[in-house]
């Protein structure tokens, strides 16, 4: 058994044998299957475990396990990590970085190609899927953007707090493209990831305003000012609603 004191800031690939049921009724049998997982330490005695896909990159939401479970049930696979998984993860990040640069430089089609390449490697990649959608919206291809929106909002992806700016950017572009209901839904997702961000709340209020839902716009602005009583833009927004007797 591995000495638990040697596991510090661990990151790597592990295999784990799990027993699965195959077949139905009288043909049901139990089969041992070996799976491969990317494991990353998230606390003193806590680890995030994500399965590897066929392209040897980690995907999906992380499962939390403790140190005892890791030591008991998982076997290190250092060669796979260094020869396959780590290089593929680095290549994926480089592809996404190129895509981001192209989009910032206005090279929408080049950016879309790079984002699409990333999604081929990891179809649940949040940054890649958002990037494709943003490229569509920036080119005014709202129908294709809506297809991406539908896929993203229903995708069981590894959405993290760090993705809030992607939800925010996508929400802004949805609103500018007059896709207001989708914009509101996206801001809701962003706020669920970061409920204390007054700027997300403010953008949600703007989306409600464009939907002519002034009551909800006021409610969100009130929350915005609870979070930051000195938020000048929110105060001006409420003053405008008051002056025009809206909501």
């Amino acid at each position: 058994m591995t000495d638990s004191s040697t596991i510090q800031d661990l990151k790597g690939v592990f295999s784990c044998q799990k027993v699965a049921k195959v077949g139905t009724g009288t043909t049901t049998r139990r089969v041992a299957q070996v799976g491969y997982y990317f494991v990353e330490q998230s606390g003193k005695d806590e680890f995030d475990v994500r399965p590897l896909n066929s392209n040897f990159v980690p995907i999906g939401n992380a499962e939390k396990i403790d140190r005892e479970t890791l030591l008991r049930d998982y076997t290190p696979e250092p060669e796979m990590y260094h020869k396959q998984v780590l290089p593929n993860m680095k290549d994926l990040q480089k592809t996404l970085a190129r895509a981001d640069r192209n989009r910032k430089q206005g090279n929408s089609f080049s950016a879309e190609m790079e984002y699409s390449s990333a999604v081929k490697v990891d179809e649940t990649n949040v940054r890649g899927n958002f990037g494709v959608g943003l490229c569509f919206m920036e080119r005014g291809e709202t129908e294709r953007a809506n297809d991406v929106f539908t896929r993203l909002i229903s995708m069981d992806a590894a959405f993290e707090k760090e993705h809030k700016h992607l939800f925010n950017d996508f929400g802004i572009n949805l609103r500018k493209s007059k896709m207001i209901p989708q914009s509101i839904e996206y801001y809701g997702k962003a706020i669920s990831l970061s409920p204390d961000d007054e700027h997300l709340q403010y953008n949600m209020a703007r989306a409600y305003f464009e939907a002519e839902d002034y009551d909800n716009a006021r409610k969100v602005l009130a929350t915005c000012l609870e979070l930051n009583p000195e938020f000048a833009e929110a105060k001006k927004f409420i003053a405008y609603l008051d002056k025009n007797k809206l909501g």
Side-chain angles (χ1 to χ4, degrees):
M1 178 178 285
T2 305
D3 180 357
S4 64
S5 64
T6 64
I7 302 179
Q8 294 180 343
D9 299 325
L10 178 147
K11 183 185 293 184
V13 172
F14 286 70
S15 60
C16 178
Q17 182 172 293
K18 297 184 178 181
V19 177
K21 287 184 178 180
V22 178
T24 58
T26 56
T27 63
T28 300
R29 65 185 190 279
R30 298 169 73 85
V31 178
Q33 298 177 332
V34 176
Y36 294 92
Y37 302 86
F38 179 71
V39 178
E40 188 170 15
Q41 189 164 4
S42 57
K44 181 180 178 182
D45 291 301
E46 187 176 68
F47 302 85
D48 290 341
V49 179
R50 297 169 65 198
L52 299 179
N53 69 6
S54 59
N55 294 307
F56 296 98
V57 296
I59 60 170
N61 295 307
E63 175 190 353
K64 300 282 186 184
I65 63 171
D66 58 23
R67 186 181 297 267
E68 182 182 347
T69 302
L70 178 66
L71 294 173
R72 184 188 66 232
D73 298 340
Y74 290 78
T75 303
E77 302 286 350
E79 186 173 4
M80 179 182 288
Y81 175 64
H82 289 290
K83 289 188 176 181
Q84 293 177 289
V85 176
L86 187 58
N88 288 3
M89 289 175 67
K90 288 181 176 178
D91 286 345
L92 179 59
Q93 291 307 308
K94 288 177 182 177
T95 299
L96 290 166
R98 287 196 301 270
D100 289 343
R101 281 197 302 273
N102 275 309
R103 193 171 72 81
K104 288 177 181 177
Q105 294 168 359
N107 302 322
S108 177
F109 288 103
S110 296
E112 182 197 337
M113 288 179 64
E114 296 284 9
Y115 285 127
S116 296
S117 294
V119 172
K120 286 179 182 177
V121 174
D122 174 10
E123 64 182 15
T124 67
N125 187 273
V126 176
R127 193 166 149 203
N129 278 284
F130 269 117
V132 171
L134 286 167
C135 288
F136 288 154
M137 281 189 285
E138 287 165 5
R139 297 203 300 264
E141 300 178 29
T142 54
E143 187 172 334
R144 296 180 75 186
N146 194 54
D147 288 341
V148 176
F149 159 81
T150 302
R151 182 170 71 247
L152 267 168
I153 210 70
S154 62
M155 191 169 69
D156 183 22
F159 293 124
E160 305 289 350
K161 194 172 182 178
E162 67 192 64
H163 294 131
K164 70 175 183 180
H165 70 280
L166 293 172
F167 281 102
N168 192 39
D169 289 349
F170 207 58
I172 289 171
N173 278 274
L174 284 165
R175 181 173 57 79
K176 288 180 177 178
S177 300
K178 303 303 178 184
M179 299 167 71
I180 307 302
Q182 293 94 328
S183 175
I184 290 170
E185 191 166 359
Y186 258 79
Y187 283 129
K189 187 78 171 182
I191 288 168
S192 72
L193 295 172
S194 187
D196 297 332
D197 189 320
E198 68 269 27
H199 296 284
L200 291 177
Q201 302 280 354
Y202 179 80
N203 284 335
M204 172 74 98
R206 290 190 65 180
Y208 275 130
F209 178 81
E210 294 204 21
E212 298 184 1
D213 187 348
Y214 305 122
D215 288 337
N216 271 321
R218 279 186 179 276
K219 289 178 183 177
V220 176
L221 286 168
T223 301
C224 186
L225 288 173
E226 286 176 11
L227 294 169
N228 181 3
E230 303 305 317
F231 195 173
E233 292 301 317
K235 290 181 178 179
K236 290 178 183 177
F237 202 155
I238 290 175
Y240 178 85
L241 294 174
D242 290 341
K243 180 179 177 181
N244 291 277
K245 299 179 180 179
L246 298 172

